[in-house]
Amino acid sequence: MELLRKWLGHPEDIYNLLRFKMGGYRAVMPRMDTDSLGCGLRTCYRYLNQTSRSFAAVIQALDGELRHAVCIFYLVLRALDTVEDDMSIPLDVKVPMLHEFHSHLYQPDWKYTESKEKDRQVLEDFPTISMEFRNLSKVYQDVISDICHKMGVGMAEFLEKKVDSQHEWDKYCHYVAGLVGIGLSRLFSASELEDSIVGQDTDLANSMGLFLQKTNIIRDYLEDQLEGREFWPREVWSRYAKKLSDLAKPENIDVAVQCLNELITNALHHVPDVLTYLSRLKNQSVFNFCAIPQVMAIATLAACYNNQQVFRGVVKIRKGQAVTLMMDATNIQAVKGIMYQYVEEIYQKIPSTDPSSNKTQQVIASIRAMSLPGSPMASRHHYSPIYLSCAMLLAALSWQYLSTLSKATEEYVQAGDN
């Protein structure tokens, strides 16, 4: 019944969950025909679906040959990331592996069979992935190999040091996510589905990745602490506690939330770049691919802002809320409306005593200036009384059914990938 009460408080979620389940998802994630693919590519898409909780569906919705290029790009970086994450690999082995990983793309027989990580199949069957990499056009190969090389070097750099300054936080996020944004942008332009400026403007592409990565790092504070990882920059958290782990102590909750708010304010500075980047995109499948994670991120930051729960458990957006974002974020005006809505939500929660309150208000003002209301999104929750009554009736009749919404959709909307 708790689930039912939540839905009754958000009737638009019920409507959009039903609309999504009954076929609306095909507008943003059309089904891909895998029967026409060769054995190697079919295997690669199987690995994609096994290893990606967030991007598998939208990758498969991309147009033309770009779809295969992005699929292989994802799997190559997933293999690289699996090496980095595997704590059973000694550092004297791991560092050279990360530096040299890009060269294995051109070695048909190279594979690694000693990983203990859950996604180890991408290393154990790397010959299939590298074969499909070599089947791509050279323009795609060059991008993927270059980004893989740079990312491997960056990962190796941060293996033995923690993130201290905010500059190093940006640098770390660049290596693990900004480079992904840059690589994807270069692939978009190489496919000629997007203009060359999309791939050339690396600053905007980097911001796309940083906004997502910082959101994940902020949200995952407690999970990372429990697993012995620290990604919050010392320069910030050391002003609030002696140790990062101290922020989880109940007696420190007030300063912990202030630290949280400061990091969220830092992440919000990337939103103007995100909006500028998205405004340049022309292809619908590319726009959906880029916009959906960004609106999920702003909704997540709004849920985390000034929220003590970040230090006590998991903060995530409602599944119905996520589905609504997925189905609505299909054009730049809609995305601007979404951004406006969520920064307003943050603005309403800014404590007057928060040390970062002035900076938070300033960055929100800059986002407001780029995303003024007037788009269809600005009033998307204003349903008629009859409409709301029908939605609540559907909730009463369907809540058990909707609680078993397809696993693929649930995993996607949780947006858990780096």
Side-chain angles (χ1 to χ4, degrees):
M1 292 305 294
E2 177 62 25
L3 181 62
L4 178 58
R5 283 193 292 271
K6 287 182 180 179
W7 282 345
L8 289 175
H10 301 276
E12 71 280 3
D13 287 0
I14 308 158
Y15 169 72
N16 283 312
L17 277 166
L18 284 171
R19 186 160 64 108
F20 190 87
K21 184 66 177 175
M22 295 173 66
Y25 61 94
R26 291 299 175 206
V28 291
M29 293 183 292
R31 187 185 302 276
M32 187 184 76
D33 176 21
T34 58
D35 294 339
S36 60
L37 302 179
C39 179
L41 267 179
R42 282 201 303 272
T43 299
C44 286
Y45 280 105
R46 185 172 78 249
Y47 292 154
L48 174 67
N49 283 287
Q50 290 172 352
T51 59
S52 172
R53 292 177 294 169
S54 300
F55 294 120
V58 284
I59 287 175
Q60 292 172 89
L62 288 168
D63 289 340
E65 61 184 14
L66 176 63
R67 176 189 306 146
H68 302 326
V70 174
C71 173
I72 300 305
F73 184 45
Y74 175 88
L75 291 177
V76 168
L77 298 188
R78 173 56 63 193
L80 179 68
D81 192 54
T82 301
V83 172
E84 184 204 23
D85 287 344
D86 195 332
M87 302 304 292
S88 70
I89 305 175
L91 281 181
D92 60 343
V93 175
K94 184 183 290 190
V95 170
M97 279 185 71
L98 293 173
H99 277 277
E100 299 165 8
F101 197 87
H102 69 288
S103 66
H104 301 321
L105 292 167
Y106 298 97
Q107 298 168 1
D109 298 326
W110 186 88
K111 60 184 175 181
Y112 186 74
T113 58
E114 299 176 31
S115 176
K116 310 300 182 185
E117 290 292 298
K118 62 181 177 63
D119 292 333
R120 59 186 176 272
Q121 70 266 35
V122 295
L123 289 171
E124 294 171 346
D125 192 19
F126 198 75
T128 297
I129 296 170
S130 68
M131 177 184 69
E132 292 303 330
F133 163 83
R134 293 187 299 275
N135 286 337
L136 295 172
S137 299
K138 186 176 184 301
V139 67
Y140 296 132
Q141 291 185 37
D142 290 346
V143 172
I144 295 171
S145 176
D146 180 53
I147 296 298
C148 181
H149 185 199
K150 291 174 179 175
M151 186 176 290
V153 171
M155 287 176 168
E157 178 182 337
F158 277 91
L159 277 178
E160 295 186 277
K161 71 176 185 179
K162 294 183 178 180
V163 178
D164 285 327
S165 67
Q166 293 186 67
H167 172 74
E168 285 183 333
W169 197 38
D170 282 354
K171 189 177 183 181
Y172 171 77
C173 291
H174 164 74
Y175 282 138
V176 300
L179 282 172
V180 179
I182 291 169
L184 286 169
S185 300
R186 289 169 61 187
L187 293 177
F188 299 156
S189 294
S191 72
E192 298 186 353
L193 294 176
E194 298 296 344
D195 292 335
S196 59
I197 186 62
V198 172
Q200 292 168 356
D201 196 333
T202 56
D203 287 342
L204 292 188
N206 188 58
S207 278
M208 293 283 285
L210 263 61
F211 186 57
L212 299 182
Q213 185 66 19
K214 288 181 178 182
T215 297
N216 287 341
I217 289 173
I218 291 167
R219 178 199 61 197
D220 293 341
Y221 165 84
L222 191 60
E223 177 185 329
D224 287 337
Q225 281 293 300
L226 294 174
E227 296 188 14
R229 301 189 298 254
E230 293 190 356
F231 298 113
W232 284 24
R234 178 187 296 271
E235 180 184 344
V236 175
W237 64 255
S238 62
R239 293 198 292 268
Y240 300 92
K242 291 183 178 180
K243 295 187 297 183
L244 182 56
S245 58
D246 289 345
L247 295 178
K249 296 179 179 179
E251 63 267 26
N252 295 328
I253 192 62
D254 290 339
V255 292
V257 169
Q258 291 174 356
C259 181
L260 168 71
N261 291 347
E262 181 173 345
L263 290 180
I264 290 176
T265 299
N266 176 295
L268 288 174
H269 281 89
H270 298 292
V271 173
D273 278 355
V274 167
L275 292 174
T276 301
Y277 181 97
L278 293 175
S279 70
R280 290 177 173 173
L281 300 180
K282 301 184 301 182
N283 179 269
Q284 187 64 60
S285 72
V286 172
F287 186 91
N288 294 347
F289 177 88
C290 295
I292 290 172
Q294 301 294 331
V295 296
M296 297 287 190
I298 192 67
T300 299
L301 288 183
C304 289
Y305 185 82
N306 210 48
N307 188 348
Q308 298 179 1
Q309 186 62 22
V310 171
F311 303 95
R312 297 169 177 165
V314 179
V315 175
K316 58 184 179 181
I317 59 178
R318 305 180 308 276
K319 285 194 279 289
Q321 180 185 6
V323 165
T324 297
L325 291 171
M326 290 169 62
M327 297 183 71
D328 286 341
T330 57
N331 62 78
I332 188 59
Q333 289 306 316
V335 170
K336 286 181 177 181
I338 293 169
M339 293 293 187
Y340 187 93
Q341 172 192 337
Y342 285 109
V343 297
E344 283 298 303
E345 184 176 313
I346 292 172
Y347 183 83
Q348 296 301 321
K349 295 192 291 186
I350 299 175
S352 59
T353 56
D354 190 272
S356 302
S357 61
N358 288 338
K359 290 182 178 179
T360 310
Q361 291 169 359
Q362 289 170 8
V363 69
I364 286 177
S366 67
I367 298 170
R368 281 171 170 165
M370 295 185 69
S371 54
L372 294 174
S375 69
M377 294 300 301
S379 59
R380 77 181 199 276
H381 296 317
H382 296 170
Y383 296 96
S384 69
I386 294 177
Y387 200 41
L388 293 178
S389 297
C390 291
M392 284 192 276
L393 177 61
L394 283 171
L397 295 173
S398 307
W399 70 276
Q400 286 182 316
Y401 167 73
L402 287 173
S403 67
T404 60
L405 192 64
S406 68
K407 182 180 178 182
T409 300
E410 179 177 350
E411 290 180 342
Y412 175 78
V413 300
Q414 287 175 355
D417 280 330
N418 287 334

